[in-house]
Amino acid sequence: MRTAPTILHLDMDAFFASAEQASKPSLRGKAVVVGGLGPRGVVATASYEARVFGVNSAMPMAQARRLAPNAAYLVPRFGFYRSISEQVMALLRALSPLVEPLSLDEAFVDLEAGEAAWDAESARRAGERLRADIRAVTGLTGSVGLAASKMLAKIASERAKPDGLVLIEPGSERALLGPLSVRTLPGVGPATGDHLRRAGITTVDEIAEAGEDELVRLVGKAHGHALYAMALAHDERPVVAERETKSVSVEDTYDVDIHDRIRVGLEVQRLADRCVRRLRGAGLSGRTIVLKVRRYDFSTLTRSETLRGPTDDPGVVREAAARLLDSVDTTGGVRLLGVGVSGLADYTQEDLFAQAAGEQVDLLEEEHAEEEENGEQTAPVERRWPAGHDVRHSGFGHGWVQGSGLGRVTVRFETPEDAGPGRVRTFRTDDPELEPAEPLPLVTRDADELTAASRQLVAPPPENRRPADPPVASAQVSSEPASLPKSRSGREGGGATSRP
């Protein structure tokens, strides 16, 4: 266990929604909800203004609309978010070679490995410099947690939100953790939390008091040991720099249940081709084909088939997915379909199962290779105008779609640099002067000089380093008012690691 708070956890504040607010002056300070806009869509991210009304991530979009009917509802722009994420990750890697991304907007950093921090004061300086650099480079805000372990650093960043920094001094961990809910600990979800509550355990202190043997009896050997260790603030997990992808998959949720078996089969084939394109884009192949079917009654079935060798052949994946579909009853209707490939490798093996050797993806399917990352099939660009996406008009310039329907599309013409809301115009959906456009950068300045300067500020030469400061408090908080009001995923893997 390290003795200095040199593990940093960064969590961008309401990332998708904040990026939309920063790029659209008319939405700054307003309630913004990003996610699928269909009847079965879910919220990906809600701005802090929308959260005041009770809107949260993973909530059904229909419920969000009831809670905040006047919010702006936008379709995600994943390419745009990814470009911002790359800027943020570059700043993190300037601090240390050990950066463990958890999603587009969240990562752990081992500051000690990059000699960016060695004690509480240097860690605090590094965290504040990082927050300033993120704001300067992206125009957005992030919250930083600093502690001697990953678990505590993540807890600290949650306490820092929005737009703040919390540092947990070594030696103060037990006092900080004790009164917190058991749900604070990693791996304690609703089911485990309810199980512990029924046993009279609701806080981290009560987990420690229950003892390891009682926890093993309640939740099992592996989980019981882990819970007890975390309650004592023991977390030896290192920061892992490279995370191996375990699977590649795509799925679609349908606004209306699909009952036609032929249509279901065609959808599975389309998903198989999309999955292969992602597989090839990552330079991977795989041995196990997985089909996911969620039926009309919300029951979810998965079927899998393992091939004799890894493949990235679209014909092979389509055939395997079709065979798996044959074993699933879809007569009641299907609301979600997904196709995935696991057992990944970085090579391919000539497949012996394909009925049509050397089969290529149809030209028509290749034309759809740039489908939206949110899983919706792309319709012709002159007909489909997703809310929130960028457009350009030959006469009015750059803007974004406020809404469309009944043959009309409404556009607000504004850019991230505008001081106030832009003007609104309505056009026919087939207007030849209107076309989709690429997102504009939130900040136009070059960040190379700033990044180099930040490295000098946060990492003085070794001869100038001071011995570690003694613990002074359980948490030091420094934050600025949030001016611009998250998505989450994680994958397991291996690679370079930090020292615990």
Side-chain angles (χ1 to χ4, degrees):
M1 184 83 174
R2 66 181 70 205
T3 59
T6 54
I7 299 295
L8 180 149
H9 181 260
L10 171 71
D11 199 346
M12 298 295 289
D13 299 322
F15 182 45
F16 295 175
S18 292
E20 297 295 348
Q21 289 176 315
S23 67
K24 300 173 171 65
S26 58
L27 297 184
R28 293 170 188 170
K30 306 288 182 62
V32 174
V33 181
V34 180
L37 302 189
R40 291 175 175 167
V42 297
V43 175
T45 309
S47 70
Y48 286 101
E49 295 87 349
R51 296 180 191 187
V52 171
F53 298 97
V55 180
N56 291 297
S57 300
M59 174 182 289
M61 190 61 75
Q63 181 182 357
R65 288 185 183 276
R66 290 193 296 270
L67 293 171
N70 297 321
Y73 289 86
L74 307 177
V75 175
R77 296 185 292 165
F78 287 106
F80 177 51
Y81 310 145
R82 190 174 294 110
S83 67
I84 300 173
S85 175
E86 289 170 355
Q87 293 178 301
V88 173
M89 296 302 166
L91 292 173
L92 298 182
R93 293 186 178 98
L95 289 174
S96 172
L98 291 182
V99 177
E100 181 179 342
L102 303 179
S103 65
L104 291 178
D105 63 337
E106 185 181 5
F108 287 108
V109 184
D110 187 332
L111 297 175
E112 186 177 17
E115 299 186 340
W118 50 94
D119 59 11
E121 184 57 35
S122 59
R124 185 181 293 108
R125 288 202 308 268
E128 291 290 10
R129 183 72 259 171
L130 174 65
R131 292 176 58 236
D133 286 355
I134 289 173
R135 185 188 289 273
V137 171
T138 71
L140 305 180
T141 65
S143 296
V144 168
L146 292 158
S149 69
K150 290 169 69 172
M151 177 187 73
L152 291 166
K154 183 172 176 60
I155 291 172
S157 69
E158 288 295 325
R159 293 167 66 88
K161 297 183 77 69
D163 191 20
L165 180 151
V166 169
L167 184 150
I168 300 176
E169 294 277 4
S172 66
E173 299 95 342
R174 290 288 304 276
L176 175 71
L177 282 176
L180 300 181
S181 166
V182 295
R183 292 287 304 277
T184 305
L185 300 180
V188 181
T192 302
D194 286 344
H195 191 60
L196 292 172
R197 179 181 54 78
R198 288 194 293 270
I201 300 173
T202 60
T203 68
V204 176
D205 260 345
E206 289 169 346
I207 288 179
E209 292 169 2
E212 192 168 12
D213 291 342
E214 176 65 8
L215 291 170
V216 168
R217 187 186 69 81
L218 287 171
V219 298
K221 185 175 181 180
H223 204 181
H225 289 316
L227 273 181
Y228 185 68
M230 288 188 292
L232 299 180
H234 296 163
D235 179 16
E236 302 294 332
R237 294 174 301 159
V239 175
V240 181
E242 298 296 333
R243 301 179 67 81
E244 178 187 358
T245 301
K246 295 298 185 181
S247 65
V248 173
S249 62
V250 297
E251 63 182 40
D252 277 353
T253 300
Y254 304 99
D255 293 343
V256 178
D257 290 347
I258 302 176
H259 293 83
D260 185 348
R261 182 74 177 189
I262 295 177
R263 166 81 188 285
V264 172
L266 291 174
E267 289 294 312
V268 168
Q269 300 299 291
R270 182 177 65 82
L271 290 166
D273 289 335
R274 280 178 53 205
C275 184
V276 168
R277 284 195 291 270
R278 288 194 183 181
L279 198 68
R280 288 181 168 181
L284 298 170
S285 61
R287 297 182 64 235
T288 301
I289 315 303
V290 181
L291 175 71
K292 178 180 177 180
V293 179
R294 180 166 297 150
R295 299 188 292 190
Y296 69 98
D297 58 357
F298 288 89
S299 61
T300 301
L301 305 176
T302 57
R303 300 288 186 268
S304 64
E305 176 180 316
T306 299
L307 309 176
R308 283 181 282 183
T311 184
D312 66 352
D313 187 295
V316 173
V317 177
R318 283 201 299 263
E319 289 180 11
R323 287 194 295 271
L324 294 171
L325 180 61
D326 287 340
S327 66
V328 179
D329 179 12
T330 63
T331 53
V334 171
R335 59 186 292 118
L336 177 147
L337 291 168
V339 174
V341 177
S342 61
L344 301 182
D346 57 3
Y347 66 95
T348 60
Q349 177 173 310
E350 190 66 30
D351 191 271
L352 304 178
F353 296 110
Q355 296 178 2
E359 182 178 6
Q360 301 297 315
V361 178
D362 295 337
L363 291 177
L364 179 61
E365 294 163 337
E366 286 291 340
E367 291 175 0
H368 291 279
E370 300 300 324
E371 288 176 329
E372 289 296 325
E373 289 292 334
N374 64 359
E376 297 179 12
Q377 185 176 4
T378 304
V381 294
E382 70 273 16
R383 299 292 182 186
R384 182 175 180 271
W385 302 99
H389 282 223
D390 298 84
V391 296
R392 177 167 291 279
H393 189 275
S394 59
F396 296 101
H398 190 93
W400 59 278
V401 177
Q402 281 198 324
S404 64
L406 301 177
R408 294 286 187 268
V409 54
T410 300
V411 178
R412 184 179 289 273
F413 291 97
E414 59 186 6
T415 71
E417 296 182 342
D418 292 342
R423 55 189 171 180
V424 177
R425 295 288 187 273
T426 298
F427 309 91
R428 298 193 320 271
T429 54
D430 59 355
D431 190 316
E433 295 187 89
L434 189 68
E435 60 182 4
E438 291 297 317
L440 297 177
L442 299 181
V443 177
T444 56
R445 61 179 289 188
D446 187 352
D448 290 342
E449 183 178 342
L450 176 140
T451 302
S454 73
R455 280 198 289 265
Q456 294 296 323
L457 287 172
V458 301
E463 60 269 22
N464 294 334
R465 293 181 180 175
R466 298 178 292 103
D469 295 333
V472 295
S474 62
Q476 298 293 329
V477 183
S478 174
S479 64
E480 304 168 12
S483 58
L484 294 174
K486 162 176 159 152
S487 56
R488 194 177 310 269
S489 67
R491 295 176 297 185
E492 297 177 349
T497 62
S498 65
R499 297 189 307 275

